[in-house]
Amino acid sequence: MAPPRHMTSEDPFPEKTPGKLRLYSMQYCPYAMRARLMLAKKGVDHEVINIHLRNKPQWFLDKYPIATVPVMEQDDKLLGGSLVISEYIDEVYSKNGERTLSADPYEKGRTNMLISDKYGKAISAVYKRLRHEENWEEDFFKHVGELDKELGAKKYFAGADKPTYADYMLWPWMRVLGPDCEIDDVLPTGKLPNLVRWIEDMKKDDTVKACHTPPDVLKRFCQGYHTLKYEYDLE
């Protein structure tokens, strides 16, 4: 089924269903995908309202002046920010023993350090490559290479035998690496062997499959980072 179209300044506010969780998203936004992954992982009943980020509805700006996605709303509750929402979903909707982010304060802190430091630098390097910035290779292989070292021989980043919070919070950017996607020239270099293995394993995960975007569609959207001509409603 095709995702809901992206609402623009011409669209009226869509009435809410009492009690139902709503996610304001953008279909191809990696930050929004973090929240969509967690909602899929936990099987949360929800609705998605896609927002055209180049022509936002005024009612969205009034609701969340920061004007970024994702934003989660449920009755009178409203949260913004991909990590805030993802952690909230994991904590509220997980059954006993099914948290993807460790409840142990130290392990949770280590995961959040990984995300804020190494993930942040690697994500910036991915955007440099998408924008075809000069000398992108140095930053890319330095910072994404750090992730490859961090992963090492582990199957997944937290050392578990299945994806956890640390993996899902990185996946939306790593999915653009590969022969069918926009960044098709980095994995064949042999410089990221552990990430190559991890990417293939992540593609097999049911949660990742549930949030899959066809590679040709994702590639068309990603080209906008270089051309500055973003296409919406590609599906």
Side-chain angles (χ1 to χ4, degrees):
M1 185 173 64
R5 70 174 182 84
H6 294 79
M7 291 193 166
T8 71
S9 59
E10 299 177 357
D11 289 302
F13 176 70
E15 292 301 317
K16 296 186 296 181
T17 301
K20 192 164 192 175
L21 188 150
R22 170 179 286 185
L23 184 73
Y24 297 100
S25 181
M26 193 277 273
Q27 184 63 21
Y28 314 112
C29 172
Y31 292 98
M33 190 184 187
R34 281 175 163 173
R36 292 195 294 115
L37 284 165
M38 294 307 299
L39 288 166
K41 179 69 176 178
K42 300 304 172 181
V44 181
D45 181 35
H46 69 284
E47 64 177 352
V48 173
I49 303 296
N50 279 326
I51 302 295
H52 195 301
L53 299 183
R54 299 282 163 163
N55 186 18
K56 302 181 184 81
Q58 185 59 48
W59 50 260
F60 178 72
L61 299 174
D62 292 341
K63 185 178 294 291
Y64 191 64
I66 297 174
T68 59
V69 293
V71 176
M72 188 205 79
E73 185 175 35
Q74 188 175 36
D75 296 330
D76 60 348
K77 297 177 182 178
L78 187 141
L79 291 173
S82 64
L83 297 176
V84 171
I85 293 171
S86 297
E87 185 172 343
Y88 175 87
I89 294 168
D90 190 53
E91 183 170 348
V92 172
Y93 293 98
S94 292
K95 298 177 183 178
N96 290 337
E98 293 184 356
R99 291 283 301 272
T100 64
L101 177 61
S102 176
D104 178 84
Y106 179 69
E107 292 302 324
K108 178 179 177 180
R110 282 177 55 83
T111 297
N112 285 329
M113 283 177 59
L114 175 64
I115 292 170
S116 63
D117 182 18
K118 291 185 178 180
Y119 282 16
K121 291 174 181 176
I123 288 168
S124 294
V126 169
Y127 282 125
K128 286 185 178 181
R129 168 58 182 84
L130 288 172
R131 295 173 182 136
H132 297 270
E133 293 185 16
E134 189 175 357
N135 299 323
W136 63 267
E137 295 98 332
E138 181 178 355
D139 272 358
F140 188 94
F141 287 110
K142 176 182 178 181
H143 296 304
V144 180
E146 284 296 316
L147 294 185
D148 193 79
K149 294 177 184 177
E150 177 74 26
L151 181 61
K154 300 192 297 290
K155 188 174 179 67
Y156 297 106
F157 275 91
D161 60 358
K162 59 184 178 180
T164 64
Y165 188 85
D167 303 285
Y168 292 126
M169 294 304 102
L170 179 62
W171 175 249
W173 289 268
M174 297 296 102
R175 65 178 173 154
V176 303
L177 310 184
D180 298 325
C181 297
E182 177 62 10
I183 302 180
D184 59 3
D185 55 354
V186 297
L187 298 185
T189 63
K191 296 180 179 180
L192 305 168
N194 300 316
L195 282 175
V196 169
R197 168 178 48 80
W198 176 83
I199 287 170
E200 290 306 308
D201 286 337
M202 288 294 288
K203 288 179 180 178
K204 301 171 187 175
D205 178 66
D206 288 340
T207 299
V208 168
K209 289 179 180 179
C211 298
H212 176 70
T213 299
D216 60 321
V217 172
L218 187 59
K219 183 173 184 177
R220 284 175 62 190
F221 181 80
C222 285
Q223 288 169 351
Y225 288 107
H226 178 52
T227 64
L228 300 183
K229 296 178 180 179
Y230 296 94
E231 295 184 72
Y232 291 75
D233 299 319
L234 291 168
E235 299 171 77

